[in-house]
Coordinates of all heavy atoms in Angstrom, one line a residue:
G1523 N -4.6 4.6 -1.0 CA -3.3 4.9 -0.3 C -3.2 6.3 0.2 O -2.5 6.6 1.1
R1524 N -4.0 7.2 -0.5 CA -4.0 8.6 -0.1 C -5.3 9.0 0.6 O -5.7 10.1 0.6 CB -3.8 9.5 -1.3 CG -2.4 9.2 -2.0 CD -2.1 10.3 -3.0 NE -3.1 10.3 -4.1 CZ -3.1 9.5 -5.1 NH1 -2.2 8.6 -5.3 NH2 -4.0 9.6 -6.1
S1525 N -6.0 8.0 1.2 CA -7.3 8.3 1.8 C -7.3 8.0 3.3 O -8.3 7.6 3.9 CB -8.3 7.3 1.2 OG -8.4 7.5 -0.2
D1526 N -6.2 8.3 4.0 CA -6.1 8.2 5.5 C -6.5 6.8 5.9 O -7.2 6.6 6.9 CB -7.0 9.2 6.1 CG -6.4 10.6 6.0 OD1 -5.2 10.7 5.8 OD2 -7.2 11.6 6.1
L1527 N -6.0 5.7 5.3 CA -6.3 4.4 5.7 C -5.6 4.0 7.0 O -5.9 3.0 7.6 CB -5.9 3.4 4.6 CG -6.8 3.3 3.4 CD1 -6.4 2.2 2.5 CD2 -8.3 3.1 3.8
D1528 N -4.7 4.9 7.5 CA -4.1 4.7 8.8 C -5.1 4.9 9.9 O -4.9 4.5 11.1 CB -2.8 5.5 9.0 CG -3.1 7.0 8.7 OD1 -4.0 7.3 7.9 OD2 -2.3 7.9 9.2
K1529 N -6.2 5.6 9.6 CA -7.3 5.8 10.5 C -8.1 4.5 10.5 O -8.5 4.0 9.5 CB -8.2 7.0 10.2 CG -7.5 8.3 10.3 CD -8.4 9.4 10.0 CE -7.7 10.8 10.1 NZ -8.6 11.9 9.8
H1530 N -8.4 4.0 11.7 CA -9.2 2.7 11.8 C -10.6 2.8 11.2 O -11.0 1.9 10.6 CB -9.3 2.3 13.3 CG -8.0 2.0 14.0 ND1 -7.1 1.1 13.4 CD2 -7.4 2.5 15.1 CE1 -6.0 1.0 14.2 NE2 -6.2 1.9 15.2
T1531 N -11.2 4.0 11.3 CA -12.5 4.1 10.8 C -12.5 4.0 9.2 O -13.3 3.4 8.6 CB -13.2 5.4 11.2 OG1 -12.3 6.5 10.9 CG2 -13.5 5.5 12.6
S1532 N -11.5 4.6 8.6 CA -11.4 4.6 7.1 C -11.1 3.1 6.7 O -11.7 2.7 5.7 CB -10.3 5.5 6.6 OG -10.6 6.8 6.9
T1533 N -10.2 2.4 7.4 CA -9.9 1.0 7.1 C -11.2 0.2 7.2 O -11.5 -0.6 6.3 CB -8.9 0.5 8.0 OG1 -7.7 1.3 7.9 CG2 -8.5 -0.9 7.7
F1534 N -12.0 0.4 8.2 CA -13.2 -0.3 8.4 C -14.2 -0.1 7.3 O -14.8 -1.0 6.8 CB -13.8 0.0 9.8 CG -15.0 -0.8 10.1 CD1 -14.9 -2.1 10.6 CD2 -16.3 -0.3 10.0 CE1 -16.0 -2.9 10.9 CE2 -17.4 -1.0 10.3 CZ -17.3 -2.3 10.8
V1535 N -14.4 1.2 7.0 CA -15.3 1.6 5.9 C -14.9 0.9 4.6 O -15.7 0.3 3.9 CB -15.4 3.1 5.7 CG1 -16.1 3.4 4.4 CG2 -16.0 3.8 6.9
C1536 N -13.6 0.9 4.3 CA -13.1 0.3 3.0 C -13.3 -1.2 3.1 O -13.8 -1.8 2.1 CB -11.7 0.7 2.8 SG -10.9 0.0 1.4
A1537 N -13.0 -1.8 4.2 CA -13.1 -3.3 4.3 C -14.6 -3.8 4.1 O -14.8 -4.7 3.4 CB -12.6 -3.7 5.6
V1538 N -15.5 -3.1 4.8 CA -16.9 -3.6 4.7 C -17.4 -3.4 3.2 O -18.1 -4.2 2.7 CB -17.8 -2.8 5.7 CG1 -19.3 -3.2 5.5 CG2 -17.4 -3.2 7.1
A1539 N -17.1 -2.2 2.6 CA -17.5 -1.9 1.3 C -16.9 -2.9 0.3 O -17.6 -3.4 -0.6 CB -17.2 -0.5 0.9
L1540 N -15.7 -3.3 0.4 CA -15.0 -4.2 -0.5 C -15.7 -5.6 -0.3 O -15.9 -6.3 -1.3 CB -13.5 -4.3 -0.2 CG -12.7 -3.2 -0.7 CD1 -11.2 -3.3 -0.3 CD2 -12.7 -3.1 -2.2
A1541 N -15.9 -6.0 1.0 CA -16.5 -7.3 1.2 C -17.9 -7.5 0.5 O -18.1 -8.5 -0.2 CB -16.7 -7.6 2.7
L1542 N -18.7 -6.5 0.7 CA -20.1 -6.6 0.1 C -20.1 -6.3 -1.4 O -20.9 -6.9 -2.1 CB -21.0 -5.6 0.8 CG -21.3 -5.9 2.3 CD1 -22.2 -4.8 2.9 CD2 -21.9 -7.2 2.5
G1543 N -19.2 -5.4 -1.8 CA -19.1 -5.1 -3.3 C -18.5 -6.3 -4.1 O -19.0 -6.5 -5.2
L1544 N -17.6 -7.0 -3.5 CA -16.9 -8.1 -4.2 C -17.7 -9.4 -4.2 O -17.5 -10.3 -5.0 CB -15.5 -8.3 -3.7 CG -14.5 -7.2 -4.0 CD1 -13.2 -7.5 -3.3 CD2 -14.2 -7.1 -5.5
L1545 N -18.7 -9.5 -3.2 CA -19.4 -10.7 -3.0 C -20.1 -11.2 -4.3 O -19.9 -12.3 -4.7 CB -20.4 -10.5 -1.9 CG -21.3 -11.8 -1.6 CD1 -20.5 -13.0 -1.3 CD2 -22.3 -11.4 -0.5
P1546 N -20.9 -10.3 -5.0 CA -21.6 -10.8 -6.2 C -20.6 -11.1 -7.4 O -21.0 -11.8 -8.3 CB -22.6 -9.7 -6.6 CG -22.0 -8.5 -5.9 CD -21.3 -9.0 -4.7
I1547 N -19.5 -10.5 -7.3 CA -18.5 -10.7 -8.4 C -17.8 -12.0 -8.2 O -17.6 -12.8 -9.1 CB -17.4 -9.6 -8.4 CG1 -18.1 -8.2 -8.7 CG2 -16.3 -9.8 -9.4 CD1 -17.3 -7.0 -8.5
L1548 N -17.4 -12.3 -6.9 CA -16.7 -13.6 -6.6 C -17.6 -14.8 -6.5 O -17.1 -15.9 -6.8 CB -15.9 -13.4 -5.3 CG -14.8 -12.2 -5.4 CD1 -14.2 -12.1 -4.0 CD2 -13.8 -12.5 -6.4
V1549 N -18.8 -14.5 -6.2 CA -19.8 -15.7 -6.0 C -21.0 -15.3 -6.9 O -22.0 -14.9 -6.4 CB -20.2 -15.9 -4.6 CG1 -21.1 -17.1 -4.4 CG2 -19.0 -15.9 -3.6
P1550 N -20.9 -15.6 -8.2 CA -22.1 -15.2 -9.1 C -23.3 -16.0 -8.7 O -23.3 -17.2 -8.3 CB -21.6 -15.7 -10.5 CG -20.1 -15.7 -10.4 CD -19.8 -16.1 -8.9
G1551 N -24.5 -15.3 -8.8 CA -25.7 -15.9 -8.5 C -26.1 -16.0 -7.0 O -27.1 -16.6 -6.6
V1552 N -25.3 -15.3 -6.2 CA -25.5 -15.4 -4.7 C -26.9 -14.8 -4.4 O -27.5 -15.1 -3.4 CB -24.4 -14.6 -4.0 CG1 -24.3 -13.1 -4.3 CG2 -24.5 -14.8 -2.5
Y1553 N -27.4 -13.8 -5.2 CA -28.7 -13.2 -4.9 C -29.8 -13.8 -5.8 O -30.8 -13.1 -6.0 CB -28.6 -11.7 -5.1 CG -27.6 -11.0 -4.1 CD1 -26.5 -10.4 -4.6 CD2 -27.8 -11.1 -2.7 CE1 -25.6 -9.8 -3.7 CE2 -26.9 -10.5 -1.9 CZ -25.8 -9.8 -2.4 OH -24.9 -9.3 -1.5
G1554 N -29.6 -15.0 -6.3 CA -30.5 -15.6 -7.2 C -31.9 -15.8 -6.6 O -32.9 -15.8 -7.4
G1555 N -32.0 -15.9 -5.3 CA -33.3 -16.1 -4.7 C -34.1 -14.8 -4.4 O -35.3 -14.9 -3.9
F1556 N -33.6 -13.7 -4.7 CA -34.2 -12.4 -4.4 C -35.1 -12.0 -5.6 O -34.9 -12.5 -6.7 CB -33.2 -11.3 -4.2 CG -32.5 -11.4 -2.9 CD1 -31.6 -12.4 -2.6 CD2 -32.8 -10.5 -1.9 CE1 -31.0 -12.4 -1.4 CE2 -32.2 -10.5 -0.6 CZ -31.3 -11.5 -0.4
P1557 N -36.1 -11.1 -5.4 CA -37.0 -10.7 -6.5 C -36.1 -10.0 -7.6 O -35.1 -9.4 -7.3 CB -37.9 -9.6 -5.8 CG -37.9 -10.0 -4.4 CD -36.5 -10.6 -4.1

Side-chain angles (χ1 to χ4, degrees):
R1524 299 191 298 277
S1525 303
D1526 288 338
L1527 285 184
D1528 52 337
K1529 293 183 178 179
H1530 295 305
T1531 51
S1532 296
T1533 302
F1534 185 78
V1535 168
C1536 180
V1538 174
L1540 285 175
L1542 295 178
L1544 291 174
L1545 178 60
I1547 297 172
L1548 301 178
V1549 188
V1552 65
Y1553 297 117
F1556 286 73

